[in-house]
Amino acid sequence: AALGTAAERLPLADEESVRYDEESAPPPHAAAAGEEARASALLRWLRVLADAIGTQRRLTLLDISHHQLGRAPPCAAAAAHGFHARLVGACARLSASLACCQGLTALHAAHNALPDEAAAALLSGFAARAGGLRELHLGHNQLHAAATAAAALLVSGAQPLASLHLNDNRLRAHDLTPLANSLANNERLQALDLSGNLLGLPDERMLPPPPQKEPAQPPPEQAGAPAAA
């Protein structure tokens, strides 16, 4: 027998099974509440981790990648600012605990959407530590000048970094000035990844100001026009 058409061969889905059911979709306020709960849970996790990890004297590697720690919940701007402030505090708390782990030589915190200030806080405790980091992964975040300056201190420290990954951030050329200066004092660096940033874009501070537009001149009065009463 001849094969039928595609419509005849394929079973048709029941109309009720493919109809969009609005009742099954969560309301917008429920989705926002879920995001806020996720953000709060991540902050609690960072605080618990900070309190527990300072006792780990034999820890050599900490990997907290792929957690989207810096993704603020979709809420009002003031609430999002408060979330970022709490995130900076949690990162500083974790950094202080990591500074007590003298055996720690590698920190991986990529793919976290960390804001610049939070990443700088995460590195703040390592500058004064007796034993420096050898490997630092901060790719796929939102780093600018503050985090790069904090990383530069680890590049020029007594036990400088051997591998630094700052790829896929938002770095511009002027953000890398402290890092470039620190590289002159580092003879151990073996890997430096700056790919996927914004180094090719112009520095707004060096651009000339936009031309000022002259105010529009009123059209000249036509000769012979009647004067206003």
Side-chain angles (χ1 to χ4, degrees), residues 31-131:
E35 283 294 313
E36 292 178 7
R38 180 200 67 83
S40 298
L42 283 174
L43 291 174
R44 285 196 303 271
W45 174 76
L46 278 177
R47 291 192 293 267
V48 170
L49 179 65
D51 293 341
I53 208 167
T55 61
Q56 304 302 314
R57 305 303 181 199
R58 306 175 78 175
L59 183 70
T60 60
L61 165 66
L62 175 63
D63 190 344
I64 54 173
S65 302
H66 293 275
H67 287 297
Q68 296 296 314
L69 299 175
R71 194 179 72 187
C75 51
H81 178 75
F83 167 79
H84 282 128
R86 289 186 294 155
L87 177 62
V88 171
C91 287
R93 186 171 178 173
L94 177 59
S95 181
S97 294
L98 292 176
C100 299
C101 301
Q102 297 299 323
L104 185 69
T105 58
L107 174 61
H108 296 187
H111 292 273
N112 275 311
L114 283 175
D116 190 38
E117 298 81 2
L122 184 61
L123 301 180
S124 60
F126 290 99
R129 201 181 69 153

